[in-house]
Amino acid sequence: MTIDTAIPAGQPAAHSAGQPSLDQLVGVIGDNLRGFRRRQGLSVDGLAQLSGSDPQLLAAIEEGRHRPDIGTLWTVAKALDLSFSSLLSTGGDAGTTVIRRAEQRSLTSRDGLFTSRALFPLKGERQVEFYELRLAPGADEASDGHSAGTVENILVGRGRVAIATVDGEHRLEEGDSILFEADVPHRYSNAGDDEAVLYLVMSYIL
């Protein structure tokens, strides 16, 4: 999945989330990646070896010359033992944040069949993240394991899906929910003929 659009930012006190440009988001990711890498005393080559990524690709991301896909971001976040949102964060948040649907941005798969929308302001470090996932008919999205101790709790808001965990494949319909350890590979598939909508709460150990 590649970054389709930017993520809204929050501000202190009640407000609507702003709409940073795609270039700004790519720059935020690059700056965060460089900062976390250096804090852990890693060179670009060292992080590449640790994450199994191409060092030239990582360097291009840090310099804001490459729009990273979501798979690379998950892999790098896991290698650095970070939450996914840490690489997208623009700083701490406070007060009340209103996130307008019209101003929000999504992460979209290359084939356009799977989208992920953050339902929280990506500011600061947090233990819990909340997402809306949409799977078009035929969508089959595989995910590598996240950082150790990560747990996913999913509610099916609409449609029928199959979710494969370490314990096998689980068929879920509207109103069903599932909780599973997500620090191992897992998969989301649309098992119906219509779009499926899922709500995901992801918990990390910080």
Side-chain angles (χ1 to χ4, degrees), residues 88-109:
L88 308 177
S89 175
T90 57
D93 62 324
T96 301
T97 300
V98 176
I99 304 174
R100 303 293 182 189
R101 177 64 184 92
E103 297 174 339
Q104 282 191 286
R105 307 294 190 163
S106 298
L107 303 178
T108 305
S109 62

Side-chain angles (χ1 to χ4, degrees), residues 60-118:
I61 293 172
E62 288 192 2
E63 294 166 9
R65 295 184 289 104
H66 178 78
R67 185 191 306 179
D69 63 82
I70 197 171
T72 299
L73 294 181
W74 278 120
T75 299
V76 172
K78 181 180 179 181
L80 293 171
D81 197 24
L82 300 170
S83 66
F84 179 73
S85 61
S86 296
L87 294 177
L88 308 177
S89 175
T90 57
D93 62 324
T96 301
T97 300
V98 176
I99 304 174
R100 303 293 182 189
R101 177 64 184 92
E103 297 174 339
Q104 282 191 286
R105 307 294 190 163
S106 298
L107 303 178
T108 305
S109 62
R110 289 191 178 92
D111 60 14
L113 297 180
F114 180 91
T115 63
S116 172
R117 178 167 66 100

Side-chain angles (χ1 to χ4, degrees), residues 27-156:
V28 166
I29 292 171
D31 290 343
N32 286 341
L33 177 56
R34 183 185 303 106
F36 285 121
R37 173 180 62 76
R38 289 176 173 173
R39 264 177 250 171
Q40 296 192 24
L42 292 169
S43 64
V44 171
D45 287 338
L47 178 57
Q49 292 180 358
L50 189 64
S51 63
S53 303
D54 182 342
Q56 292 184 340
L57 176 65
L58 294 180
I61 293 172
E62 288 192 2
E63 294 166 9
R65 295 184 289 104
H66 178 78
R67 185 191 306 179
D69 63 82
I70 197 171
T72 299
L73 294 181
W74 278 120
T75 299
V76 172
K78 181 180 179 181
L80 293 171
D81 197 24
L82 300 170
S83 66
F84 179 73
S85 61
S86 296
L87 294 177
L88 308 177
S89 175
T90 57
D93 62 324
T96 301
T97 300
V98 176
I99 304 174
R100 303 293 182 189
R101 177 64 184 92
E103 297 174 339
Q104 282 191 286
R105 307 294 190 163
S106 298
L107 303 178
T108 305
S109 62
R110 289 191 178 92
D111 60 14
L113 297 180
F114 180 91
T115 63
S116 172
R117 178 167 66 100
L119 301 178
F120 62 96
L122 290 173
K123 296 177 73 77
E125 192 73 7
R126 63 186 68 243
Q127 290 181 282
V128 177
E129 299 171 356
F130 184 29
Y131 296 93
E132 176 193 75
L133 308 180
R134 290 180 176 266
L135 289 77
D140 185 27
E141 184 72 16
S143 176
D144 291 334
H146 307 312
S147 57
T150 301
V151 173
E152 291 190 14
N153 193 174
I154 293 176
L155 169 70
V156 181

